[in-house]
């Protein structure tokens, strides 16, 4: 018989959605477990570009972007499926969400000078002020958990180095056209190879990997129990049918009961 573990909130999956839920719950003083089925944390977010489209951020407001502009853009982007209530809630909470991450966690963002909306021909589109990306981070902030982060996909890297979209990758595009770019790229690659030899993996993390490294660091600081190689095998329910937890397999095999699971207004289980 598997052991029983009790927490306030059980999060299944350690991608950006699951970790965001875990961080917010832990910051509110709740006891949180994150159960990740893979041996590595970070999910597909950790191999993504890591950009987020968040109208209403501080850069956009400084540049005169308005809520009306963002709503107009979204309405024209998907006129047949536009969900007014959903868009309203999204635009209401984006500034609060970004502020939470930057002020209460280790997650930090960069605000690029130019990051155009995908459909610049639509009303309400902006050249910048909406898309943000995570700041690079030294993975050694995770200590012993550093090698538990999802590694880069080799097909996305340049000889092991993961270029950041923007000025960084532009230097790689011009490596055979400019001495400056050649020197820049050579320094990046040599540092990458040196770190990989010394630390088993390059320590400078960028893009989505930087975001997830920062999130895992924040979760660890907040006392979140991080379980890797621990898939959710099935959900458990109370007498009223409400989901109250999950049966977890793998390295942390247990029946986990989430105290907040069956409470009205608290959701059932926070996860991806």
């Amino acid at each position: 018989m598997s052991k029983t573990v009790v927490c306030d909130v059980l999060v299944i999956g350690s991608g950006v959605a699951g970790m965001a839920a875990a961080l917010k719950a832990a910051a509110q003083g709740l006891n949180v477990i994150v159960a990740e089925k893979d041996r590595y944390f970070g999910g597909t977010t950790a191999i993504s570009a890591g950009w987020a489209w968040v109208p209403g951020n501080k850069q956009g407001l400084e540049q005169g972007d308005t809520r009306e502009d963002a709503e107009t853009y979204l309405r024209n982007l998907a006129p047949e499926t536009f969900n007014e209530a959903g868009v309203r809630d999204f635009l209401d909470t984006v500034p609060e969400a970004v502020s939470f991450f930057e002020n209460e966690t280790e997650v930090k963002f960069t605000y690029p000078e130019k990051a155009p909306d995908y459909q610049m021909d639509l009303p309400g589109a902006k050249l910048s002020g909406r898309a943000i990306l995570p700041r690079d981070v030294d993975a050694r902030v995770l200590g012993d958990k550093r090698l538990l982060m999802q590694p880069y996909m080799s097909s996305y890297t340049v000889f092991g180095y993961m270029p950041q979209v923007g000025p960084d990758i532009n230097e790689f595009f011009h490596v055979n056209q400019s001495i400056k770019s050649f020197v820049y790229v050579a320094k990046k690659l040599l540092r990458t190879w040196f770190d990989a030899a010394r630390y088993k993996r390059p320590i400078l993390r960028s893009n989505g990997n930087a975001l997830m490294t920062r999130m895992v660091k924040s979760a660890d600081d907040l006392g979140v129990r991080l379980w890797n190689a621990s898939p959710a095998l099935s959900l458990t329910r109370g007498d009223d049918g409400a989901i109250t937890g999950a049966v977890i397999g793998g390295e942390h095999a247990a029946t986990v009961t989430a105290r907040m699971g069956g409470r009205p207004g608290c959701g059932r289980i926070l996860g991806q």
Side-chain angles (χ1 to χ4, degrees):
M1 181 179 294
S2 66
K3 64 180 179 180
T4 299
V5 176
V6 178
C7 63
D8 293 321
V9 175
L10 171 63
V11 175
I12 298 173
S14 64
V16 67
M19 290 303 296
L23 289 177
K24 184 61 176 177
Q28 293 176 336
L30 299 178
N31 185 302
V32 182
I33 292 174
V34 173
E36 168 58 55
K37 67 180 180 181
D38 198 81
R39 62 183 291 197
Y40 299 117
F41 295 113
T44 56
T45 308
I47 57 174
S48 72
W51 289 64
W53 193 81
V54 285
N57 68 66
K58 59 185 181 183
Q59 182 199 47
L61 295 177
E62 290 173 358
Q63 295 179 352
D65 190 15
T66 67
R67 182 192 179 96
E68 292 71 24
D69 288 338
E71 186 171 333
T72 296
Y73 176 72
L74 290 171
R75 190 183 297 275
N76 283 276
L77 186 66
E80 297 180 358
T81 57
F82 183 80
N83 182 325
E84 187 165 355
V87 169
R88 181 182 64 246
D89 291 342
F90 170 67
L91 295 177
D92 282 345
T93 54
V94 158
E96 178 186 352
V98 174
S99 294
F100 164 73
F101 287 123
E102 292 204 306
N103 297 330
E104 299 185 44
T105 79
E106 293 296 319
V107 177
K108 305 299 177 188
F109 297 107
T110 296
Y111 297 80
E113 183 179 346
K114 289 185 179 181
D117 289 334
Y118 285 130
Q119 302 291 334
M120 284 299 295
D121 58 323
L122 295 180
K126 297 292 181 180
L127 183 62
S128 62
R130 292 175 178 170
I132 62 176
L133 67 154
R135 288 188 196 171
D136 292 352
V137 66
D138 187 321
R140 288 175 293 182
V141 298
L142 287 177
D144 294 341
K145 290 185 174 64
R146 176 176 61 84
L147 296 179
L148 294 179
M149 291 302 300
Q150 186 76 251
Y152 292 136
M153 289 184 66
S154 59
S155 57
Y156 287 6
T157 69
V158 179
F159 300 110
Y161 177 75
M162 182 72 172
Q164 177 61 271
V165 176
D168 186 38
I169 200 170
N170 187 58
E171 297 289 353
F172 280 76
F173 288 151
H174 294 87
V175 66
N176 60 347
Q177 303 172 21
S178 161
I179 292 296
K180 173 179 170 292
S181 295
F182 178 84
V183 172
Y184 177 92
V185 170
K187 287 181 177 179
K188 291 290 186 181
L189 294 182
L190 288 173
R191 178 61 188 272
T192 296
W193 300 337
F194 174 82
D195 288 345
R198 182 177 180 181
Y199 301 106
K200 300 182 180 180
R201 187 188 293 181
I203 58 174
L204 180 64
R205 314 314 284 175
S206 62
N207 298 285
N209 209 278
L211 175 62
M212 296 317 304
T213 296
R214 289 180 175 278
M215 281 191 154
V216 170
K217 164 64 173 170
S218 301
D220 200 37
D221 290 346
L222 288 168
V224 173
R225 283 178 278 179
L226 299 164
W227 292 359
N228 65 320
S230 301
L233 304 179
S234 62
L235 302 178
T236 59
R237 297 178 182 272
D239 295 337
D240 61 354
I243 297 172
T244 57
V247 177
I248 304 297
E251 294 188 5
H252 297 273
T255 297
V256 180
T257 298
R259 283 185 288 251
M260 304 296 288
R263 297 188 182 183
C266 294
R268 293 299 186 244
I269 286 188
L270 301 176
Q272 287 180 292

